[in-house]
């Protein structure tokens, strides 16, 4: 059998987030986020608003990245355990 995703992970070239498809829901949320950022800029000092928004966005991105990494790791572990259970049941027969 051919498992290209496993080979990609094994050879340390996992799928990057920029290769992930962008859904309509993703676009909708990104648009809302942009509109929200624009609306809060009026409450920030004009000379600092871009820097504050950029720093907030960077920190939010780091948090999302950490969440994605942890989710991937835990999902991978669960997938391995499911595979192990299925194959161990098959070997018992």
């Amino acid at each position: 059998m051919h498992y290209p995703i496993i080979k990609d992970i094994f050879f340390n070239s996992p799928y990057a987030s920029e290769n992930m498809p962008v859904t309509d829901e993703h676009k909708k949320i990104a648009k809302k986020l942009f509109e929200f950022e624009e609306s809060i800029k009026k409450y920030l000092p004009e000379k600092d608003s871009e820097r504050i928004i950029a720093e907030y966005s960077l920190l939010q991105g780091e948090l999302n990245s950490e969440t994605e990494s942890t989710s991937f790791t835990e999902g991978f572990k669960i997938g391995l355990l499911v595979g192990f259970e299925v194959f161990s049941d098959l070997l018992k027969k």
Side-chain angles (χ1 to χ4, degrees), residues 30-43:
K31 183 177 186 273
K32 284 183 178 180
L33 181 61
F34 175 78
E35 290 169 353
F36 181 74
E37 286 177 358
E38 290 299 310
S39 71
I40 62 172
K41 280 182 184 178
K42 63 185 171 191
Y43 299 106

Side-chain angles (χ1 to χ4, degrees), residues 16-31 68:
S17 60
E18 59 266 11
N19 294 330
M20 299 295 286
V22 178
T23 65
D24 289 339
E25 187 65 18
H26 182 273
K27 291 176 188 176
K28 180 179 161 185
I29 294 168
K31 183 177 186 273
E68 288 175 3

Side-chain angles (χ1 to χ4, degrees), residues 27-82:
K27 291 176 188 176
K28 180 179 161 185
I29 294 168
K31 183 177 186 273
K32 284 183 178 180
L33 181 61
F34 175 78
E35 290 169 353
F36 181 74
E37 286 177 358
E38 290 299 310
S39 71
I40 62 172
K41 280 182 184 178
K42 63 185 171 191
Y43 299 106
L44 299 172
E46 189 175 333
K47 68 182 181 90
D48 295 327
S49 67
E50 290 298 323
R51 180 190 58 77
I52 292 169
I53 294 295
E55 186 174 340
Y56 174 82
S57 295
L58 179 65
L59 290 170
Q60 186 65 46
E62 288 178 9
L63 179 61
N64 289 344
S65 180
E66 183 62 26
T67 300
E68 288 175 3
S69 176
T70 302
S71 296
F72 176 83
T73 302
E74 292 305 306
F76 196 85
K77 288 178 192 175
I78 291 168
L80 287 175
L81 290 173
V82 169

